[in-house]
């Protein structure tokens, strides 16, 4: 089962995974949407993004929000809105703390740094904020992104029964 | 024949209908809504915030473009509870006049109900034993007929009010739920047994419930019109969404306007409480509402 899941996620992301993963959010076809990634990959590489978006539909939608300039817009809002900034920076901190707890009892590992997706000053990446929100319900920027992308609306699953890309899959914006 | 645009500036959403009018009959040309969250934060500050104002103005600017494309002859624009309640309504109305040359008129809860009834009746076979409920952001209108007259009860409970003051989080926690139910019921004390009437629900909460009931992938208001939904279904729907996060609700229900995700649980709880109080087992949803009524009243 673990291998099947890994295979599905590898197909969704179009690349081999460098660690085991756990699915923490699924779509209406019960396919993985967000995975939990360990803070160090199999070869020890520090990996700051605890929750990774795997759903191709969401990846595409969030990509187009980013290309429309939403990161810049939200960074500006963080500058101007104290309450938003407070909620965002609290999550940055707790995300880092939760991730670094994983390594408490392990030796010879380098902790990754930064908050959500390794972000420090800027939001940096909306995919990682959406993934964090879907997994934990704690991410204020992720909540804004969810409101912009809406629900899982694919008519066909993105992966077929042989764990291959479904040729008929198309996402609608 | 004239082409008329009607804009409803509500507490949660700002809606537009462009329609042809011919001898008191409407032909819809275009209808849309945008969740502008106009009353967000009003409970604390008593004012419409700058952010909300910006959202509202952007939406109106966009609507004006559409109205021009359809070459509408007239624009009718109303404001409801958020404008009745906010201290700075008059300033904003003045700005709307200057910026967009639109006259926004604040209507009372009573008038809101009257206009809604005109809209609903224009598109329904029912003409007596009427019971229409319009759940809004900051008020709910209960509209019924008595001795051939339309009566309106307007209460200061809406989905945003509930969301900001009681059901502050999803998943819902039980003491917040209890307080919300208590608050709703204390505002519905005056209601009688309406079990012999057919309940017609209008506006975002009811249309969203119907769209989800029909398992729509994409919202379709022709398909939801006149759909019957029973109390038990709504009850079990409430029990499922109250355990979910807002993001999960949005993720699961793709036909829901994602900006309604945050208030859906409050809206469904309010709908359920109303049905319980009125002893109603079945809900019928109408796509026609105050926007249609506003045009028909004036043309």
């Amino acid at each position: 089962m673990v291998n099947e899941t890994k295979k599905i996620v590898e197909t969704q992301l179009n690349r081999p995974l460098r660690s085991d993963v756990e699915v923490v959010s699924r779509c209406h076809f019960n396919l993985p949407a967000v995975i939990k990634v360990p803070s160090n990959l199999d070869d020890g590489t520090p990996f700051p993004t605890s929750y990774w978006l795997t759903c191709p539909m969401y990846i595409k939608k969030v990509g187009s929000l980013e290309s429309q300039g939403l990161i810049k817009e939200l960074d500006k809002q963080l500058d101007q809105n104290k309450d938003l900034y407070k909620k965002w920076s609290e999550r940055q901190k707790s995300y880092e703390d939760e991730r670094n707890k994983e390594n408490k009892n392990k030796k010879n590992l380098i902790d990754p740094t930064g908050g959500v997706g390794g972000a420090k000053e800027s939001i940096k990446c909306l995919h990682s904020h959406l993934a964090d929100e879907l997994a934990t319900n704690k991410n204020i920027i992720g909540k804004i992104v969810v409101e912009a992308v809406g629900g899982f609306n694919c008519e066909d699953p993105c992966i077929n029964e042989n764990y291959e890309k479904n040729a008929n899959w198309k996402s609608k914006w | 024949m004239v082409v008329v645009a009607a804009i409803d500036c509500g507490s949660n959403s700002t809606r537009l209908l462009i329609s042809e009018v011919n001898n008191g009959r409407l032909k819809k040309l275009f209808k849309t809504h945008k969740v502008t969250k106009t009353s967000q934060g009003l409970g604390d500050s008593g004012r419409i915030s700058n952010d909300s104002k910006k959202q509202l103005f952007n939406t109106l600017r966009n609507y004006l473009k559409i109205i021009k494309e359809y070459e509408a002859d007239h624009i009718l624009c109303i404001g409801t509870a958020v404008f009745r309640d906010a201290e700075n309504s008059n300033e904003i109305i003045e700005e709307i006049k200057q910026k967009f040359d639109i006259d926004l008129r604040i209507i009372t809860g009573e008038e809101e109900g009257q206009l809604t009834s005109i809209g609903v009746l224009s598109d329904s076979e029912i003409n007596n034993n009427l019971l229409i409920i319009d759940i809004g952001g900051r008020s709910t209108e209960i509209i019924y007929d008595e001795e051939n007259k339309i009566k309106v009860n307007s209460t200061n409970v809406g989905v945003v009010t509930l969301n900001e003051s009681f059901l502050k989080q999803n998943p819902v926690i039980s003491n917040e739920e209890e307080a919300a139910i208590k608050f709703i019921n204390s505002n519905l004390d005056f209601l009688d047994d309406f079990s012999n009437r057919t309940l017609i629900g209008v506006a975002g909460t009811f249309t969203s419930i119907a769209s989800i009931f029909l398992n729509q992938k994409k919202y379709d208001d022709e398909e939801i019109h006149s759909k019957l939904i029973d109390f038990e279904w709504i009850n079990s729907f409430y029990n499922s969404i109250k355990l979910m996060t807002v993001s999960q609700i949005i993720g699961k229900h793709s036909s829901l306007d994602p900006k309604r995700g945050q208030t859906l649980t409050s809206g469904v709880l309010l709908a359920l409480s109303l049905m319980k109080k009125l002893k109603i087992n079945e809900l019928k949803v109408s796509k026609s509402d105050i926007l249609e009524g506003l045009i028909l009243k004036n043309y």
Side-chain angles (χ1 to χ4, degrees):
Chain A
M1 189 61 204
V2 172
N3 281 340
E4 285 171 9
T5 306
K6 200 166 170 179
K7 224 166 165 179
I8 290 171
V9 174
E10 286 180 335
T11 309
Q12 285 179 316
L13 296 176
N14 225 350
R15 60 174 178 265
L17 294 176
R18 292 180 289 157
S19 71
D20 279 337
V21 293
E22 176 198 343
V23 178
V24 288
S25 169
R26 290 178 180 273
C27 73
H28 56 313
F29 291 116
N30 206 28
L31 288 164
V34 178
I35 52 171
K36 168 86 179 64
V37 186
S39 57
N40 294 82
L41 304 179
D42 289 348
D43 66 359
T45 310
F47 196 80
T49 310
S50 305
Y51 302 103
W52 195 272
L53 193 63
T54 70
C55 160
M57 183 272 294
Y58 271 165
I59 291 174
K60 204 168 160 181
K61 282 188 179 176
V62 176
S64 77
L65 289 177
E66 286 187 346
S67 63
Q68 287 160 24
L70 189 61
I71 295 183
K72 217 171 154 187
E73 164 67 30
L74 291 173
D75 273 339
K76 203 170 111 194
Q77 283 189 32
L78 286 181
D79 263 350
Q80 294 167 349
N81 185 334
K82 276 185 194 154
D83 183 47
L84 188 70
Y85 182 79
K86 188 170 168 266
K87 286 180 180 154
W88 178 71
S89 50
E90 276 170 7
R91 179 56 189 151
Q92 291 286 98
K93 179 83 183 64
S94 66
Y95 186 97
E96 189 169 2
D97 291 349
E98 284 164 22
R99 186 186 59 213
N100 292 349
K101 258 191 214 155
E102 289 175 31
N103 281 349
K104 235 171 59 188
N105 300 317
K106 293 180 198 155
K107 281 178 186 164
N108 301 326
L109 282 175
I110 302 165
D111 283 339
T113 60
V116 179
K120 286 174 181 142
E121 298 302 318
S122 155
I123 288 170
K124 196 178 141 190
C125 162
L126 296 179
H127 298 82
S128 55
H129 283 77
L130 174 61
D132 182 35
E133 168 57 22
L134 294 174
T136 68
N137 189 33
K138 290 177 187 169
N139 192 309
I140 185 71
I141 297 297
K143 288 184 205 296
I144 296 173
V145 179
V146 178
E147 284 199 352
V149 293
F152 296 107
N153 65 352
C154 302
E155 280 170 16
D156 299 301
C158 55
I159 303 290
N160 69 20
E161 55 275 21
N162 302 320
Y163 312 127
E164 294 156 342
K165 266 206 169 120
N166 173 6
N168 294 323
W169 180 79
K170 275 196 301 266
S171 82
K172 282 187 202 145
W173 192 196
Chain B
M1 193 267 298
V2 280
V3 175
V4 183
I7 304 172
D8 168 20
C9 300
S11 306
N12 197 35
S13 69
T14 303
R15 304 182 311 128
L16 167 70
L17 168 69
I18 304 175
S19 197
E20 258 178 36
V21 199
N22 220 335
N23 291 328
R25 294 190 82 87
L26 295 185
K27 189 179 153 214
K28 178 179 91 178
L29 301 176
F30 184 81
K31 195 174 189 180
T32 190
H33 82 273
K34 175 108 188 156
V35 176
T36 44
K37 302 187 179 177
T38 309
S39 75
Q40 195 163 49
L42 181 72
D44 292 330
S45 68
R47 297 171 65 83
I48 295 171
S49 73
N50 282 337
D51 278 351
S52 300
K53 190 174 85 175
K54 211 166 113 189
Q55 289 274 348
L56 174 64
F57 284 10
N58 285 341
T59 303
L60 290 176
R61 190 170 298 120
N62 186 20
Y63 284 0
L64 266 188
K65 266 190 222 155
I66 302 169
I67 291 169
K68 278 211 178 94
E69 278 166 28
Y70 280 92
E71 299 178 344
D73 302 296
H74 301 283
I75 300 174
L76 301 166
C77 180
I78 49 167
T80 55
V82 61
F83 284 91
R84 295 196 285 269
D85 296 346
E87 284 164 17
N88 57 341
S89 298
N90 287 336
E91 291 161 39
I92 289 177
I93 290 172
E94 186 58 35
E95 260 188 86
I96 290 174
K97 174 71 184 162
Q98 281 174 6
K99 276 198 159 82
F100 308 109
D101 196 26
I102 293 175
D103 291 299
L104 186 155
R105 188 168 65 85
I106 302 178
I107 59 168
T108 61
E110 163 78 26
E111 195 178 354
E112 201 178 336
Q114 294 286 350
L115 291 172
T116 299
S117 72
I118 296 172
V120 170
L121 291 175
S122 74
D123 207 1
S124 156
E125 286 115 44
I126 297 170
N127 45 30
N128 57 20
N129 254 350
L130 195 66
L131 176 63
I132 303 166
I133 297 184
D134 174 2
I135 295 182
R138 296 183 64 84
S139 75
T140 294
E141 276 67 43
I142 296 144
I143 303 149
Y144 55 96
D145 64 321
E146 205 175 72
E147 294 163 357
N148 290 324
K149 273 202 175 130
I150 300 285
K151 302 258 179 170
V152 180
N153 272 312
S154 182
T155 76
N156 292 329
V157 190
V159 297
V160 178
T161 344
L162 279 180
N163 195 224
E164 284 187 350
S165 309
F166 299 96
L167 291 189
K168 293 178 192 164
Q169 50 202 317
N170 265 76
V172 169
I173 52 176
S174 63
N175 61 346
E176 288 191 358
E177 183 185 47
E178 275 166 33
I181 292 171
K182 215 168 144 189
F183 173 75
I184 295 171
N185 286 335
S186 71
N187 275 279
L188 302 181
D189 258 355
F190 60 89
L191 289 178
D192 295 326
D193 180 339
F194 276 90
S195 53
N196 61 339
R197 301 189 184 220
T198 305
L199 166 64
I200 301 178
V202 297
T205 293
F206 287 115
T207 55
S208 300
I209 291 175
S211 174
I212 292 168
F213 172 75
L214 291 170
N215 247 324
Q216 291 181 343
K217 281 244 152 53
K218 199 164 176 272
Y219 180 78
D220 173 354
D221 88 348
E222 298 301 329
E223 198 193 8
I224 62 151
H225 188 59
S226 290
K227 271 287 160 307
L228 294 169
I229 306 168
D230 68 10
F231 178 88
E232 276 317 311
W233 187 88
I234 301 172
N235 195 30
S236 67
F237 176 58
Y238 174 73
N239 285 323
S240 92
I241 58 174
K242 79 174 194 181
L243 302 174
M244 292 158 83
T245 69
V246 172
S247 303
Q248 285 167 339
I249 293 173
I250 294 170
K252 185 164 179 204
H253 303 295
S254 67
S255 70
L256 177 71
D257 179 328
K259 289 203 160 70
R260 289 197 194 280
Q262 203 191 331
T263 50
L264 185 70
T265 313
S266 297
V268 178
L269 178 63
L270 182 51
L272 271 179
S273 307
L274 282 158
M275 289 175 82
K276 250 187 217 164
K277 184 81 192 175
L278 297 162
K279 300 196 165 54
I280 299 272
N281 278 317
E282 202 168 48
L283 159 71
K284 190 174 188 172
V285 176
S286 165
K287 68 175 164 60
S288 296
D289 54 38
I290 197 165
L291 287 170
E292 285 78 3
L294 180 61
I295 297 180
L296 288 169
K297 177 80 195 274
N298 286 277
Y299 289 89

